[in-house]
Amino acid sequence: MSTAMMTMRRAAALGARHMLAASSSRVVPIRHMSADVGAAMEKIRAAGLLKTQGLIAGQWVDAYDGKTIEVENPATGEVLASVSCMGSRETSDAIASAHSTFYSWSKLTANERSKALRKWYDLIIAHKEELALLMTLEQGKPMKEALGEVNYGASFLEYFAEEAKRIYGDIIPPTLSDRRLLVLKQPVGVVGAITPWNFPLAMITRKVGPALACGCTVVVKPSEFTPLTALAAADLALQAGIPAGALNVVMGNAPEIGDALLQSTQVRKITFTGSTAVGKKLMAGSADTVKKVSLELGGNAPCIVFDDADIDVAVKGSLAAKFRNSGQTCVCANRILVQEGIYEKFASAFIKAVQSLQVGNGLEETTSQGPLINEAAVQKVEKFINDATSKGANVMVGGKRHSLGMTFYEPTVVGNVSNDMLLFREEVFGPVAPLIPFKTEEEAIHLANDTNAGLAAYIFTKSIPRSWRVSESLEYGLVGVNEGIISTEVAPFGGVKQSGLGREGSKYGVDEYLELKYICMGNMS
Ligand code: NAP
């Protein structure tokens, strides 16, 4: 009997009748909801993509103690579904299942793994409408952005399906004539992947795509706020022929799940996207079992607008960099540094653009700004604005909760922000654009680098030498020059300093899931 099966039996003996009863996927009732939300949920259910149980060893299972958590629509407060609230026991079984499947999945040819990943990509694209609806409902982002994320998320599967076939080793010229020296690249093993709510699909595929391509197996823990998109994507993975156990999903009690992943000697790698505070805990917790770790953590992106910038390009670029997902992305422009000569002109054009943003329910076509994820997020924004105004900053537009109520917040511009304010020092993670005046290029670089974060930075200038000079001086993993949206599956994404370790996407993305093995062959003459 496989280790996974033994562990599953143990779980059953411990009273996991929920798991057994649930193994034939249950029908999820549609709760009473407003007409548009109800219709959207019906469409998702009709496509078979409304999953509410965890996925362990290819089985949809309830939490062993039957506990559930409610997933809410941040735009309306309606409960969309109740999902299994899992903990350490379910995570241990998921790890055991991933561990036993590792031996078969990693032995497949790269071509076979590639085909399954490509099929998963095709199925996600075929169901892009339902996945985008789910994302808008549970996360709040406007449908257009949600559709963009489905394409972006799927692109990692397509890219790594191709990259699976290009994981080459090396042959090294030997130092002794009777030897042959080889380097093999082999999968790390079982991967624990912990992901945030702000990109419910793409943060998963950006990890699972390269992990599966390399031959690793995975236990994913999506955020409790956005598990539905993750579960729907996992169902499509099963349909695509990704074998039972290669991809497992558990959600619920985050510290318990995290600890189970950290303590297991079978989990050889932790990959995490989320806050810097949790990232540090996971890094420390990985030390005991010496796991490989990659971390995509918080940012504090500077967006530098120089006097010589094209004003239209600068306004369009900083608006996109700031207000995507209502300011809730790690690469959102967090500090807009504007040179004195262009400050007034930029501020008035930028404010005009901000006033044109439409706040509303993401299901409505005209909406460009959805709600914030929860009440705590709004309170954080309020705290940062109060701190700034008490220290001399002025609210130029917005600056309060939106009349729609719930967690909607007015797109906001705050002027004369300085480096002693929270808006400068920390990630606001909301629709607030702080403007910070500066005099010289040196001052801009100093201000931009005056933070422990180092993920994304943006500069707007027409000078080619300046764009090189400043890009090279910025202590950041990603730099956008005259462009506010820079993420793509073909380029390496990741931060320096306390924004993280490792890179995702691109040809470098597979390195995080591979070990090098050196083989020395003697007596070869
Ligand atoms: P978070 O609170 O750190 O949560 C991220 C994930 O970690 C969630 O799945 C969460 O679970 C889980 N988690 C929380 N405590 C844990 C623990 N003790 N052990 C194990 N897992 C734990 O971050 P968030 O608020 O969801 O996301 C926002 C942050 O992510 C921002 O700082 C943003 O900049 C960053 N981010 C970075 C990138 C990047 O690529 N660098 C991309 C997107 C977001 P629950 O949600 O279930 O509690």
Side-chain angles (χ1 to χ4, degrees):
M1 195 188 305
S2 72
T3 319
M5 282 309 295
M6 282 163 63
T7 321
M8 303 277 276
R9 292 258 170 104
R10 183 169 53 82
L14 285 170
R17 61 205 139 78
H18 311 286
M19 184 167 131
L20 299 176
S23 57
S24 62
S25 204
R26 68 179 174 207
V27 177
V28 184
I30 299 284
R31 292 159 182 263
H32 180 69
M33 292 168 193
S34 55
D36 53 348
V37 174
M41 290 295 283
E42 189 46 55
K43 189 166 180 182
I44 295 156
R45 189 174 64 168
L49 292 177
L50 187 54
K51 299 289 172 197
T52 57
Q53 297 161 291
L55 180 64
I56 302 176
Q59 302 290 309
W60 293 104
V61 296
D62 285 331
Y64 297 168
D65 61 6
K67 275 194 196 145
T68 57
I69 29 171
E70 293 184 334
V71 182
E72 283 183 17
N73 178 345
T76 63
E78 289 160 296
V79 175
L80 297 168
S82 295
V83 300
S84 311
C85 179
M86 300 175 144
S88 52
R89 285 191 298 147
E90 296 85 345
T91 308
S92 297
D93 288 343
I95 293 168
S97 142
H99 189 248
S100 64
T101 311
F102 174 71
Y103 293 98
S104 48
W105 177 249
S106 60
K107 293 287 174 292
L108 292 182
T109 64
N111 225 9
E112 287 166 322
R113 290 197 299 270
S114 171
K115 279 192 180 125
L117 277 171
R118 171 71 208 199
K119 182 95 190 285
W120 190 14
Y121 163 82
D122 289 338
L123 285 173
I124 285 184
I125 293 299
H127 290 285
K128 73 160 80 158
E129 184 79 16
E130 296 93 336
L131 289 169
L133 273 174
L134 255 186
M135 206 184 289
T136 294
L137 290 173
E138 66 177 351
Q139 200 274 321
K141 63 178 67 180
M143 264 304 274
K144 193 166 162 231
E145 277 191 42
L147 281 165
E149 185 183 336
V150 177
N151 284 328
Y152 177 55
S155 74
F156 290 104
L157 301 179
E158 185 187 41
Y159 183 87
F160 286 107
E162 293 155 1
E163 210 56 20
K165 295 179 269 184
R166 298 187 199 114
I167 298 172
Y168 306 127
D170 275 316
I171 297 178
I172 298 172
T175 48
L176 298 171
S177 59
D178 71 337
R179 299 213 170 168
R180 296 296 177 267
L181 313 183
L182 320 174
V183 177
L184 286 188
K185 289 189 180 175
Q186 293 188 308
V188 170
V190 175
V191 173
I194 303 178
T195 57
W197 49 265
N198 62 345
F199 287 96
L201 179 70
M203 294 305 101
I204 293 176
T205 52
R206 202 160 79 174
K207 298 177 186 313
V208 175
L212 291 177
C214 292
C216 297
T217 52
V218 192
V219 177
V220 175
K221 194 214 86 61
S223 166
E224 63 177 305
F225 299 116
T226 57
L228 299 175
T229 309
L231 295 171
D235 189 56
L236 294 173
L238 285 182
Q239 290 181 34
I242 307 277
L247 173 61
N248 304 271
V249 184
V250 289
M251 65 268 158
N253 184 329
E256 257 196 39
I257 295 171
D259 286 350
L261 290 169
L262 292 174
Q263 284 158 16
S264 166
T265 50
Q266 291 180 333
V267 175
R268 295 310 316 139
K269 154 108 197 172
I270 291 286
T271 171
F272 171 73
T273 297
S275 62
T276 307
V278 174
K280 285 178 182 178
K281 272 192 207 160
L282 295 174
M283 190 173 175
S286 295
D288 252 2
T289 49
V290 194
K291 297 187 203 308
K292 257 172 118 79
V293 178
S294 21
L295 304 170
E296 296 284 353
L297 309 178
N300 182 2
C303 174
I304 311 174
V305 181
F306 287 100
D307 279 348
D308 62 6
D310 177 316
I311 194 108
D312 293 337
V313 170
V315 168
K316 186 167 168 254
S318 16
L319 192 79
K322 173 67 249 183
F323 288 99
R324 191 153 65 111
N325 201 9
S326 300
Q328 302 173 110
T329 87
C330 51
V331 291
C332 271
N334 200 51
R335 299 170 291 154
I336 304 184
L337 310 171
V338 192
Q339 204 162 8
E340 277 183 349
I342 203 174
Y343 186 88
E344 295 301 333
K345 206 170 159 199
F346 175 84
S348 76
F350 187 68
I351 286 170
K352 212 166 148 203
V354 170
Q355 283 169 327
S356 73
L357 296 171
Q358 283 289 325
V359 178
N361 187 325
L363 291 180
E364 286 155 24
E365 223 171 284
T366 50
T367 296
S368 60
Q369 295 287 288
L372 298 194
I373 189 71
N374 56 23
E375 177 59 25
V378 183
Q379 286 177 12
K380 180 179 182 189
V381 167
E382 289 180 327
K383 178 177 156 198
F384 279 36
I385 299 237
N386 289 339
D387 170 78
T389 50
S390 73
K391 291 175 180 159
N394 59 305
V395 172
M396 301 166 101
V397 65
K400 57 182 192 307
R401 287 171 187 261
H402 194 275
S403 56
L404 283 172
M406 296 302 300
T407 54
F408 290 98
Y409 197 86
E410 291 183 352
T412 297
V413 182
V414 182
N416 286 319
V417 169
S418 53
N419 61 359
D420 57 337
M421 300 174 187
L422 284 172
L423 274 180
F424 184 101
R425 305 238 59 92
E426 293 178 27
E427 208 180 14
V428 62
F429 234 58
V432 181
L435 303 188
I436 299 141
F438 71 89
K439 287 189 171 66
T440 63
E441 185 179 301
E442 293 67 34
E443 186 190 357
I445 293 168
H446 171 75
L447 286 169
N449 289 339
D450 180 19
T451 169
N452 285 328
L455 187 57
Y458 307 89
I459 62 177
F460 291 90
T461 175
K462 278 198 264 189
S463 160
I464 292 172
R466 168 174 273 164
S467 66
W468 274 104
R469 242 180 0 250
V470 178
S471 296
E472 285 171 1
S473 305
L474 288 169
E475 296 164 353
Y476 288 83
L478 320 163
V479 179
V481 179
N482 295 320
E483 181 54 65
I485 302 287
I486 58 175
S487 304
T488 156
E489 76 280 13
V490 300
F493 187 103
V496 300
K497 291 159 82 175
Q498 294 185 26
S499 282
L501 295 173
R503 292 295 178 268
E504 294 192 327
S506 82
K507 65 175 181 174
Y508 307 103
V510 288
D511 294 343
E512 307 295 332
Y513 301 94
L514 293 168
E515 295 283 14
L516 298 183
K517 181 178 283 173
Y518 158 55
I519 301 177
C520 173
M521 303 176 72
N523 283 301
M524 297 291 286
S525 50

